[in-house]
Amino acid sequence: MKIFITGGTGNIGQYVTLAAADNGHEAVVLTRSPEKYPSMARKAALVKGVITNYELMADCVKGCDAVIHIALGWGDEPVSMLTNDTAATVKLLEMSEKAGVKKFIYTSSTAAMGLMRPVMEESMANIPVDLYGSTKAASEAYVLGFRKYYGSGGEVSMKRNIIRPGYTYSTPPWDDGVTQPDSRFRDIADAIVNDQPVALTKHDGTQFISAREIAQLYMKLIESDKNEEVYLALGNMFTSWERIAMIALDEYPESKSEIILRDLGWGEQPMMFDIRRMQRDFGLSFDSQKYLHEHIKWNLAEAIKRKSSQTKYCR
C-alpha cells in the first residue's frame, strides 16, 4: 500500500512512518525540513512542503492508496486556526477522494472532546474548551460528514476514520528524531539534574501513551475495512506527574531535589478516558509503563548533557 503521511517526521508521525515501512508499505512523507531527517529518508520518500500548499498536496496524493493526516496547522486567532488547520484538512480530504485514495485517517485529539465528564468515550458530544479543541472537533465533523457531494449526488467511496490521541510522548528513534513539543518531562529532568525543586500540581496526570504504541493503532486501522469510526488512543493506566518525578529521582539518586506539590483541590480519583473500543476492535491495550520509564531515563540523560555543556561553556 502506498501511504501519504503528513507530519510524518514529528512526534507521532515518525513512529507511524516507521511502522508503515516495517509493515511493507511505501510511505511518502510531507515535512517542512526534509534535510533535518536523513535517518527517516532511508525509510520513506520525503517531500518538502506544508499542508496549505494545496497544489503540492494534490500531487502527493496521486497514486496513493491511503492518507494519514497527522500534521497540525496553527494560528493565534479563530480564523487563522480555521484556515491553517481545518480548511487544510478539508481540502486534503476532498482531493484525496478525487484522486481515488481508498482510506483516510485523520489525527484529532482528546481536546476535541473538551469538557471533562465522569465517563469519556468516543460517542460523547464534543464540547471543546479552546481554539485547538474547536479546530479538531470541526475537522472531525467534516471527516465523518463527507459522504457525498451536493449537487452532483456523487457518493464518497473513501473510508474515513479518526484517531484521538491523548498525551503522546516520543523517545527519538534516531539522533535526528524528535520528541513531543510539551516540555514537562524535560523540565522535571532539568530540575532534578540541577538540584532544583520540582514544582507540580497534586493529582495532575494522564493516561500517557508512547508514540511507538499509538503507531500500532494507525497500522491496524489503515489495514482494516473500518469506516467512519473514532478511536481514543491513550494508555490504560493513569500516571501522575508526581509519580514521573519520583521515578526520575530514583534513576538519579544523587539529586538533592524535592518535589513540591501545589494543591488546587483536584480529587485523588482521576477522570479516565475509556479506551475499550481500541481493545475491542483491534486487541490493543497499552499500559505504557516500560516506554514511560525509558522516556524518563532518556530525558535525564539529555539533561546531564545540557548541564555538562553549560559547565564547559562557563569555563
Side-chain angles (χ1 to χ4, degrees):
M1 189 184 303
K2 185 176 182 181
I3 306 174
F4 176 54
I5 305 173
T6 71
T9 56
N11 176 35
I12 293 175
Q14 61 189 344
Y15 278 101
V16 173
T17 302
L18 278 174
D22 290 345
N23 282 26
H25 302 298
E26 177 186 354
V28 178
V29 172
L30 184 75
T31 179
R32 292 175 182 270
S33 306
E35 67 279 0
K36 292 182 179 180
Y37 309 104
S39 298
M40 182 63 76
R42 293 194 288 269
K43 290 285 187 176
L46 304 187
V47 178
K48 183 180 179 66
V50 295
I51 57 174
T52 51
N53 185 337
Y54 298 144
E55 184 176 349
L56 173 64
M57 298 275 275
D59 286 339
C60 287
V61 298
K62 289 177 182 177
C64 288
D65 304 290
V67 168
I68 298 178
H69 182 32
I70 305 173
L72 170 67
W74 194 256
D76 296 323
E77 299 173 350
V79 172
S80 57
M81 287 291 283
L82 176 70
T83 301
N84 297 335
D85 194 275
T86 299
T89 296
V90 175
K91 288 288 289 186
L92 178 59
L93 185 69
E94 184 176 21
M95 64 180 65
S96 297
E97 167 65 17
K98 288 181 176 179
V101 172
K102 298 177 178 63
K103 299 176 181 181
F104 188 101
I105 294 178
Y106 172 62
T107 304
S108 182
S109 167
T110 53
M113 302 175 76
L115 185 67
M116 291 295 292
R117 285 147 278 178
V119 178
M120 298 292 284
E121 52 89 22
E122 289 90 346
S123 64
M124 296 179 65
N126 287 333
I127 311 176
V129 296
D130 56 23
L131 286 178
Y132 173 67
S134 298
T135 298
K136 291 299 186 182
S139 297
E140 282 191 11
Y142 274 96
V143 170
L144 295 176
F146 184 41
R147 294 183 173 182
K148 66 179 180 180
Y149 291 90
Y150 292 137
S152 68
E155 299 293 324
V156 171
S157 60
M158 182 173 63
K159 290 180 167 58
R160 296 152 285 108
N161 295 287
I162 294 166
I163 293 176
R164 287 181 187 155
Y167 191 116
T168 308
Y169 60 88
S170 285
T171 305
W174 308 291
D175 289 342
D176 54 337
V178 301
T179 189
Q180 71 276 4
D182 181 87
S183 67
R184 280 174 282 184
F185 279 92
R186 173 176 174 150
D187 294 343
I188 290 171
D190 279 338
I192 288 173
V193 167
N194 291 285
D195 298 322
Q196 297 172 350
V198 182
L200 302 169
T201 299
K202 191 175 184 180
H203 303 316
D204 185 17
T206 190
Q207 293 160 255
F208 295 96
I209 188 168
S210 165
R212 72 182 75 189
E213 291 172 329
I214 203 173
Q216 296 180 47
L217 175 60
Y218 279 89
M219 289 301 102
K220 291 281 190 181
L221 185 54
I222 207 70
E223 293 169 357
S224 77
D225 290 324
K226 298 291 184 184
N227 189 34
E228 298 179 0
E229 295 282 359
V230 180
Y231 292 94
L232 282 165
L234 302 95
N236 58 27
M237 293 179 61
F238 179 92
T239 304
S240 70
W241 286 104
E242 179 184 8
R243 176 61 183 154
I244 287 170
M246 291 171 64
I247 294 170
L249 283 169
D250 287 342
E251 292 289 341
Y252 197 77
E254 57 266 45
S255 176
K256 298 180 178 63
S257 295
E258 293 184 354
I259 300 171
I260 300 173
L261 296 178
R262 298 180 294 261
D263 192 345
L264 301 181
W266 295 4
E268 183 176 357
Q269 185 65 30
M271 288 189 177
M272 299 282 286
F273 289 89
D274 186 341
I275 46 84
R276 286 179 293 180
R277 181 175 293 184
M278 177 174 64
Q279 185 171 12
R280 179 200 69 197
D281 287 1
F282 301 118
L284 296 176
S285 181
F286 307 107
D287 68 24
S288 203
Q289 296 305 295
K290 172 188 172 184
Y291 295 129
L292 194 60
H293 280 71
E294 176 187 295
H295 193 58
I296 292 167
K297 291 172 70 174
W298 177 81
N299 274 278
L300 285 169
E302 292 297 302
I304 293 169
K305 291 178 186 177
R306 286 190 291 272
K307 181 179 180 180
S308 175
S309 177
Q310 290 167 2
T311 301
K312 290 179 182 178
Y313 180 78
C314 290
R315 290 176 181 173

